[in-house]
Amino acid sequence: MGAALFVCFMLMREYMQVPRSPRRMYIFEKPVSMGILPENPRDDVSKMEVQLPFKRCTELPIPDSYWNLAQDSPAFVSIPQTTDIEIDESICVRVVVPAKTTQMPLKFAPFPGAPWDSILLDLVGQNTNISVPVPLEKTDHTSNFYRDKVHIYEADVVLRDVDVYRPQGYIEYRHAMWNAEGFLDPQPFNPERLIIRPDLQITVTDNEQLSPYSLHKYLDMPLCTEPNADGRWIPIESLPFDPQQVPPPDSHGLVWLPYKCRLQRIAYTDFAKCLAQKYPVVHWYGDSNTRRALKKVATLGKWCVDNPDSLVCKCNDNMEPFSEYGANHRLSAFDLDPEAGTTSMADPFSALPATKPRIVTFKWDGLTTRNAPPWADYFIPNFEQKLGHPMLAILGMTNWDTAFETHAFFANEADRLTDKINTTYALSNNQPPTDIVLRTGQYYCCTSDMDPYWKRRYSRLRNHYFDKTLIETFKNKLGHERRVMVWDVARITERRPYNLRRNDVLTCEANHVRSQLVEIENQVLMNALCNS
């Protein structure tokens, strides 16, 4: 109880403010010494009044007293400057995590540069329910490098929608228990509360009515040409235009709208025409999440339209009878006929059709040792002569890798994969370079996989760092000579309201998204490929 009162005192001291104009703020450049407030704290604060634009976290000193908080003090959220801000301004958000006296599991450790504590935190619009994730990073104070010290994390968060935002979140894991490497088992999910003051909120205004992100201006934006645009989820009934002009909604009536570009609704027959013109041969690698995306393509969008609430469509389509292509085969192919509006299964080693795009599919379990045959064995001699030179290769990795392999093993395999890609799809004067699309792993949060057989080591942060490693490896090794795009399906789910993220994961142990969300993910990809 005493520790909680002390934290409340600290928060009062940081946020004590006097009445002010909307663009005026009060900050403590030098926090009051611990224990006793000045005789007249309001007078003391008024001397520190400043009228400055909002500062970034690096410009806002962290009170020294935070680093000296007693063990077992409650963790809390801090926003050093709180007042109205305009569209596109950033706000500094911090989380202070004092040490705990509980026994520490010494076998767990974070990846280099990663935090000890996994913290899920959003800024949530109180009127729109828009959730903006706070991408917390540890500060450079030496305390953050030790397991048993106070840890402080911070992020500058840009807000683009008019609303009143409040922090919402919790500590998922302490002591790096989010990172079950090697023979360590995934740990039970037991979230820890964060102290969030009831009046801790940020109001975002658009006083001049000039916001480029207004829904009324959405159709005036340029079309999206990359598959990783940031955005938000909007109720379909809130759209001030015909919903047919954007991709369809999810199962809760929400549509995904990027902030800085526009998604159009693309029919799969039009996508087939786009492939015929730009990417007549596609090599598509991935796991069961990729399989679900391909089922939409191979049926020209018809998969799961009639029965979206079936188990297959909501979660697990494993071993579903499927005739359009060998969905459960390790190697398969299908051709699309954009004129007839049909698809047909094909022998992947047969001659390429003259006017139809072909998609060759490779079902991999990531880059894990569970692949049979090993993933590298697919890159056979004369690979392109037998399977065609692709103008596009799509690779969906990290789901299985996060679950079953160590990060060091995965990093090495990702490096091998780039070498295989570079030699198999060799650059030459006779063929255009193969564009690369990296599909991130599915977003994961709000639980842990305690299945005694599978023991999948998923966690939100672990999934993030495996994705980060794959993306950096490809961009560093191949990005200077090829186009490397990131199909960020994890971001699309991460931006969903928290309760929807949580329910989706808890109702599908396979961590597949529902068919309506598969459609939205595909629309993001199709826009990027066909609009550019």
Side-chain angles (χ1 to χ4, degrees), residues 15-30:
Y15 295 104
M16 192 176 299
Q17 301 170 343
V18 299
R20 60 199 185 275
S21 64
R23 296 297 298 160
R24 186 173 295 171
M25 65 218 67
Y26 302 82
I27 60 176
F28 286 101
E29 297 293 347
K30 294 182 179 179

Side-chain angles (χ1 to χ4, degrees), residues 55-69:
K55 294 184 176 182
R56 299 180 67 82
C57 288
T58 54
E59 302 173 285
L60 294 168
I62 298 172
D64 290 340
S65 51
Y66 283 4
W67 299 108
N68 298 315
L69 286 170

Side-chain angles (χ1 to χ4, degrees), residues 286-347:
D287 55 23
S288 55
N289 295 282
T290 290
R291 179 183 67 213
R292 292 170 74 81
L294 283 166
K295 285 181 176 180
K296 276 287 187 184
V297 177
T299 60
L300 299 176
K302 297 183 180 69
W303 181 68
C304 280
V305 168
D306 294 332
N307 54 345
D309 292 325
S310 67
L311 177 61
V312 162
C313 300
K314 288 196 301 183
C315 178
N316 200 344
D317 61 313
N318 188 34
M319 303 312 295
E320 174 197 21
F322 197 78
S323 59
E324 280 75 5
Y325 87 102
N328 293 302
H329 297 170
R330 290 292 179 175
L331 178 64
S332 185
F334 61 93
D335 299 330
L336 298 97
D337 189 332
E339 299 303 325
T342 60
T343 61
S344 56
M345 190 182 302
D347 178 352

